[in-house]
């Protein structure tokens, strides 16, 4: 064996690792891989920074091992690769951790603790595990300059972000919008669509669903529905807590609808209901039986096993547009133009795949709802009420609780998951509302339903779709250019770029980049109160 190479009689990998690390340290090998290539073409590498407030896991080792391949390869090809490390020090995980340590909630900041003291606590907490990270970085042989990292809370880094935001703003790609967005009551902040689409965000849940009965106002019915007695529109929802905020019902203009004569399965009262023709069999299953003669309805008695139903008339969705109905749960009226609310409108998004083919529309809690309400003539108002500061707000507050206008439901969380451990009531709000509607002859069907529902990736609690004032980047103006550039990248494997990432890019929405939090980069935007100067 030639001199200079050790002879191994038994392979002991930990010993080999220690010897190599010692050799690298004693001889400054990493530093030399940079200094010996002075004036060579640079290959720029900034590490996508880990969060310093959490301990490293095996997934960090895996990701760093993969990342390490590219700077090493480029170094061997003669490039100078300085390999700058970084620390991600901002964001929700740090805030939630500090709040837990201090025994406070977001609402206490600025009251029982100043914003300055709170941010100081965040800054102190965020770097507590740097020694552990440095140790892992060294032991796994990951070459990166830990002595001069970029840190996201430092002014130099924040000013770089400010410069980027100014460039985006100057290109007219930044705007403030009041829109319906994913919102996490437990985290106290809005979420971007990217956060909601992370793996595991959508979880299977079983909720109480309601097919509600909305009573049509007889004097607004078209001629073909006159003299038919009391008529109800049937609308299905998986979120009964949004029913008090209903201000419209949306039908598909080209969909076939029918008038069905039957009895309510809870109150046994006779009634006439409207729903989409393709969904009649789905809604009238189990307890119901179809009859071909109207006279057969008269034979029904309360304790009969099967409830008869008779399909009396057929028409198109466009024929229903403009009909008005009684407010389902009259706790509060819209603050603006309430006379335009509680009306049937048309929407192209209505389908006959599920439900009744009539969509309960609450513009404060759904993006589609808000859009179709705005497009209606006259415009359908959202159900907003004035708070103690004279601001217009929804019937659900930012903590996920019903406002006082909801009387017996006021102060209750709209989802049991928002209560502290052990404090949730046996009956959820959805169940309580379903019982109320049954008793008032306003529920056609109540049942449990398993479906996919988005959860906050940080708190693992369900999110709400909520009206928020946020700053957006106009991704929709440039996404096709980004998608085009993405097709030029030589992705390995190809499916990474053309599959999930490519699909996400092609369907990207405007990016909500602002957060209703304290520990982060302040947005460098100042506006006059009237919004005319910025």
């Amino acid at each position: 064996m030639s001199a200079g190479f050790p002879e191994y009689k038994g392979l002991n990998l930990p010993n080999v690792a220690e010897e190599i690390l010692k050799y690298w340290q004693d001889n400054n090998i990493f530093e030399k891989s940079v200094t010996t290539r002075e004036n060579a073409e640079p290959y720029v590498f900034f590490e996508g920074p880990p969060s310093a407030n959490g301990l490293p896991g095996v997934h960090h080792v895996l990701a760093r091992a993969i990342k390490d391949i590219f700077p090493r390869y480029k170094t061997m090809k003669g490039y100078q690769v300085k390999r700058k490390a970084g620390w991600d020090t901002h964001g929700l995980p740090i805030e939630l951790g500090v709040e837990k340590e201090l025994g406070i909630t977001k609402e206490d900041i600025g009251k029982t603790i100043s914003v300055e003291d709170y941010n100081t606590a965040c800054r102190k907490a965020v770097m507590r595990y740097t020694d552990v990270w440095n140790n892992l970085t060294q032991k796994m042989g990951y070459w990166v300059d830990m002595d001069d990292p970029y840190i996201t809370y430092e002014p130099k880094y924040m000013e770089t972000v400010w410069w980027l935001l100014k460039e985006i703003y100057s290109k007219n790609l930044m705007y403030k919008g009041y829109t319906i967005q994913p919102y996490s009551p437990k985290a106290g902040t809005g979420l971007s669509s990217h956060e909601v689409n992370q793996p595991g965000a959508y979880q299977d849940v079983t909720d109480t669903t309601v097919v509600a009965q909305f009573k049509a106002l007889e004097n607004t019915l078209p001629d073909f529905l006159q003299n038919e007695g009391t008529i109800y529109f049937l609308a299905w929802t998986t979120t009964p807590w949004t029913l008090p905020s209903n201000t419209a019902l949306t039908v598909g203009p080209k969909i076939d609808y029918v008038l069905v004569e039957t009895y309510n399965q809870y109150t046994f009262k006779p009634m006439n209901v409207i729903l989409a023709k393709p969904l009649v069999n789905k809604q009238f299953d189990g307890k119901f039986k179809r009859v071909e003669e109207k006279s057969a309805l008269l034979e029904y008695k309360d304790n009969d096993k099967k409830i008869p139903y008779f399909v009396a008339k057929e028409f198109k969705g466009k024929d229903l547009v403009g009909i008005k109905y009684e407010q389902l749960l009259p706790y509060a009226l819209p603050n603006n133009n309430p006379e335009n609310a509680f009306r049937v409108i048309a929407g192209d998004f209505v389908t006959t795949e599920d439900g009744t083919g009539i969509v309960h529309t609450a513009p404060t809690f759904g993006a589609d709802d808000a859009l179709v309400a705005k497009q209606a003539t006259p415009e359908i108002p959202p159900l907003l009420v004035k708070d103690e500061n004279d601001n217009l707000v929804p019937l659900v507050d930012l903590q996920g609780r019903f406002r006082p206008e909801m009387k017996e439901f006021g102060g209750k969380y709209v989802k049991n998951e928002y209560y502290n451990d052990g404090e949730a009531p046996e009956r959820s709000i959805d169940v309580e509302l379903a019982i109320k509607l049954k008793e008032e002859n306003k529920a056609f069907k109540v049942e449990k339903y398993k479906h996919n529902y988005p959860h906050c990736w940080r708190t693992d609690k369900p999110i709400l779709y909520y009206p928020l004032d946020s700053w957006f980047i106009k991704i929709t103006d440039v996404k096709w250019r980004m998608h085009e550039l993405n097709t030029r990248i030589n992705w390995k494997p190809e499916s990474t770029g053309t599959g999930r990432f490519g699909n996400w890019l092609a369907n990207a929405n405007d990016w909500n980049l602002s957060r209703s939090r304290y520990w982060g980069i302040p947005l460098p935007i100042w506006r006059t109160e009237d919004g005319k100067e910025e």
Side-chain angles (χ1 to χ4, degrees):
M1 181 176 282
S2 58
F5 290 95
E7 183 179 348
Y8 291 105
K9 290 183 177 172
L11 183 61
N12 186 315
L13 290 173
N15 285 353
V16 173
E18 283 181 23
E19 287 173 19
I20 297 292
L21 285 173
K22 188 174 185 306
Y23 176 77
W24 284 352
Q25 286 166 356
D26 291 347
N27 295 280
N28 298 318
I29 300 299
F30 168 47
E31 290 79 3
K32 285 176 181 173
S33 77
V34 178
T35 56
T36 56
R37 286 158 178 78
E38 208 62 62
N39 301 321
E41 188 179 344
Y43 176 78
V44 178
F45 178 86
F46 279 71
E47 183 181 22
S51 296
N53 75 310
L55 289 165
V58 69
H59 57 292
H60 293 109
V61 177
L62 180 64
R64 285 177 148 198
I66 294 168
K67 278 193 280 190
D68 203 42
I69 292 168
F70 298 90
R72 284 183 185 274
Y73 172 74
K74 288 293 185 179
T75 298
M76 289 190 287
K77 294 291 279 185
Y79 291 83
Q80 186 183 42
V81 190
K82 290 186 175 178
R83 296 172 167 244
K84 195 173 184 72
W87 293 113
D88 180 6
T89 58
H90 283 141
L92 196 54
I94 291 101
E95 294 203 47
L96 295 177
V98 168
E99 284 168 26
K100 195 172 181 180
E101 283 178 24
L102 297 176
I104 62 169
T105 65
K106 183 189 172 190
E107 285 64 53
D108 296 319
I109 303 164
K111 296 173 187 170
T112 61
I113 182 173
S114 69
V115 174
E116 290 78 9
D117 288 345
Y118 175 71
N119 278 352
T120 300
C122 288
R123 187 182 180 116
K124 187 178 173 185
V126 76
M127 299 302 276
R128 66 171 53 135
Y129 296 121
T130 48
D131 289 348
V132 181
W133 276 95
N134 288 342
N135 188 39
L136 173 80
T137 303
Q138 183 188 19
K139 281 187 175 172
M140 69 168 288
Y142 180 57
W143 281 1
V144 69
D145 182 6
M146 301 291 284
D147 296 329
D148 183 30
Y150 68 94
I151 301 173
T152 59
Y153 66 51
E154 289 181 344
K156 185 180 178 183
Y157 179 89
M158 291 198 279
E159 286 167 13
T160 303
V161 176
W162 281 2
W163 179 84
L164 288 166
L165 289 173
K166 176 63 169 68
E167 291 295 301
I168 292 166
Y169 181 88
S170 299
K171 291 176 180 177
N172 199 29
L173 290 172
M174 201 168 164
Y175 68 94
K176 192 176 190 185
Y178 189 71
T179 57
I180 310 298
Q181 300 162 43
Y183 174 76
S184 172
K186 286 304 280 184
T189 186
L191 303 171
S192 68
S193 56
H194 178 64
E195 288 173 292
V196 177
N197 287 321
Q198 291 201 83
Y202 277 83
Q203 299 176 22
D204 282 340
V205 296
T206 301
D207 280 328
T208 297
T209 66
V210 174
V211 176
Q213 297 175 183
F214 295 79
K215 187 178 179 181
L217 297 183
E218 199 170 339
N219 63 345
T220 67
L221 291 170
D223 290 344
F224 69 90
L225 290 175
Q226 290 289 341
N227 306 315
E228 292 288 348
T230 304
I231 291 175
Y232 296 90
F233 293 101
L234 297 187
W236 177 62
T237 180
T238 58
T239 54
W241 60 269
T242 62
L243 286 170
S245 299
N246 169 279
T247 53
L249 294 172
T250 307
V251 296
K254 296 176 183 176
I255 293 172
D256 291 319
Y257 290 84
V258 288
L259 177 72
V260 179
E261 298 184 27
T262 187
Y263 296 84
N264 184 285
Q265 64 176 311
Y266 305 117
T267 63
F268 308 110
K269 290 183 179 179
M271 62 179 188
N272 304 311
V273 298
I274 291 174
L275 73 161
K277 183 181 177 182
L279 290 160
V280 169
N281 289 342
K282 191 162 193 173
Q283 289 300 332
F284 287 87
D285 59 356
K287 288 186 179 181
F288 294 89
K289 66 171 182 180
R290 182 166 182 159
V291 296
E292 299 305 322
E293 298 293 333
K294 187 173 179 176
S295 57
L297 292 172
L298 301 174
E299 298 168 13
Y300 173 68
K301 299 178 192 65
D302 290 2
N303 56 355
D304 286 353
K305 281 186 179 178
K306 293 281 184 178
I307 301 172
Y309 71 94
F310 173 72
V311 179
K313 287 188 175 176
E314 188 175 323
F315 32 86
K316 292 286 185 186
K318 62 183 174 60
D319 303 325
L320 302 171
V321 174
I323 297 175
K324 296 199 132 194
Y325 60 88
E326 276 185 15
Q327 186 179 9
L328 185 75
L329 292 162
Y331 287 99
L333 284 169
N335 187 268
N336 296 324
N337 303 316
E339 68 281 359
N340 293 336
F342 316 118
R343 199 172 85 238
V344 178
I345 59 175
D348 292 333
F349 67 89
V350 181
T351 72
T352 55
E353 287 175 21
D354 243 326
T356 65
I358 300 173
V359 177
H360 140 62
T361 304
T364 38
F365 297 118
D368 285 339
D369 299 37
L371 182 62
V372 78
K374 205 169 184 61
Q375 291 170 341
T377 307
E379 189 175 321
I380 297 284
L383 207 153
L384 298 168
V385 295
K386 284 196 173 181
D387 68 4
E388 47 283 355
N389 299 315
D390 236 24
N391 297 315
L392 287 175
V393 294
L395 285 177
V396 177
D397 69 19
L398 287 163
Q399 285 74 53
R401 295 175 302 215
F402 272 134
R403 285 186 47 80
E405 287 84 352
M406 285 299 297
K407 295 175 183 169
E408 74 268 33
F409 299 114
K412 294 183 178 182
Y413 287 102
V414 298
K415 289 194 173 288
N416 269 8
E417 291 89 342
Y418 300 156
Y419 285 95
N420 293 327
D421 290 344
E423 292 180 10
E426 192 176 332
R427 285 178 178 168
S428 67
I429 278 290
D430 287 346
V431 171
E432 287 197 38
L433 285 168
I435 292 169
K436 181 180 175 68
L437 293 173
K438 277 184 182 181
E439 291 170 348
E440 295 179 359
N441 195 42
K442 292 177 178 177
F444 175 77
K445 186 185 278 188
V446 174
E447 58 188 359
K448 295 288 185 184
Y449 178 73
K450 188 174 182 179
H451 64 130
N452 235 222
Y453 193 87
H455 285 62
C456 170
W457 67 299
R458 288 300 188 190
T459 64
D460 204 35
K461 302 291 184 187
I463 65 165
L464 305 180
Y465 283 87
Y466 199 91
L468 294 173
D469 225 358
S470 297
W471 285 92
F472 291 84
I473 292 177
K474 280 189 200 167
I475 300 297
T476 45
D477 277 16
V478 294
K479 71 175 179 181
W480 296 116
R481 175 64 177 151
M482 292 195 296
H483 190 255
E484 179 200 343
L485 291 170
N486 181 54
T487 61
R488 301 182 192 176
I489 295 171
N490 181 23
W491 285 95
K492 296 292 181 187
E494 189 183 342
S495 58
T496 305
T498 58
R500 182 175 173 180
F501 181 74
N503 291 335
W504 171 77
L505 206 51
N507 297 294
N509 299 315
D510 288 352
W511 176 30
N512 168 12
L513 80 156
S514 60
R515 293 291 176 270
S516 316
R517 301 295 310 194
Y518 297 96
W519 176 244
I521 298 176
L523 285 174
I525 302 160
W526 288 264
R527 272 180 150 188
T528 53
E529 281 192 19
D530 58 14
K532 289 179 180 174
E533 283 189 64
E534 203 167 83

